[in-house]
Amino acid sequence: MPGSGRLTTHVLDTMHGKPAVGMRLDLLMVHGDHSHHILSTHTNADGRVDQPLLAGDQFHMGAFEMIFHVGQYFERIGVDLDHQFLDTVPIRFVMSEQAHYHVPLLVSPYAYSTYRGS
């Protein structure tokens, strides 16, 4: 069905075992060796964004990248790191059908994981 696709995300702070509140993320569309910025937003109290990142007529199939600003997040909440390891976490993925794409991030100051959620 045209216009039925959407993109959402959810960020969990695995160091503290709770949603990552107020983490900045950027969404880019990737075209070969270059990309263009679509939007920037922050996670809410549940570690999600208030609206889908893309939905309806704004949803397009193709290659995308979400950049999560995890270094800023951990610094802002007062995590004292002797040596910062993760600064930004880029996740590049392809949306190839009109469907719900959920791209969660589980993150600590030293590790992260992601998957295609539902």
Side-chain angles (χ1 to χ4, degrees):
M1 169 185 299
S4 64
R6 65 187 165 124
L7 172 63
T8 58
T9 191
H10 187 197
V11 185
L12 297 173
D13 173 345
T14 59
M15 178 181 190
H16 297 102
K18 63 182 186 176
V21 178
M23 183 180 292
R24 178 180 160 204
L25 67 101
D26 301 312
L27 177 65
L28 295 87
M29 187 164 194
V30 179
H31 307 279
D33 63 350
H34 68 281
S35 61
H36 74 269
H37 181 266
I38 296 175
L39 63 85
S40 294
T41 191
H42 290 81
T43 57
N44 62 22
D46 193 34
R48 301 174 187 273
V49 293
D50 292 329
Q51 301 293 324
L53 299 168
L54 297 173
D57 293 341
Q58 315 242 296
F59 181 88
H60 297 284
M61 291 179 275
F64 292 84
E65 184 172 66
M66 278 197 276
I67 301 172
F68 296 87
H69 296 263
V70 300
Q72 287 177 351
Y73 165 77
F74 284 113
E75 182 179 334
R76 183 179 50 75
I77 66 169
V79 174
D80 186 22
L81 301 174
D82 291 333
H83 304 285
Q84 181 179 346
F85 180 63
L86 294 176
D87 181 28
T88 59
V89 172
I91 300 174
R92 200 169 271 202
F93 56 97
V94 175
M95 298 190 297
S96 58
E97 60 184 331
Q98 288 284 337
H100 179 195
Y101 287 83
H102 184 68
V103 183
L105 178 69
L106 288 73
V107 68
S108 78
Y110 300 102
Y112 68 91
S113 65
T114 189
Y115 54 94
R116 182 175 175 187
S118 58

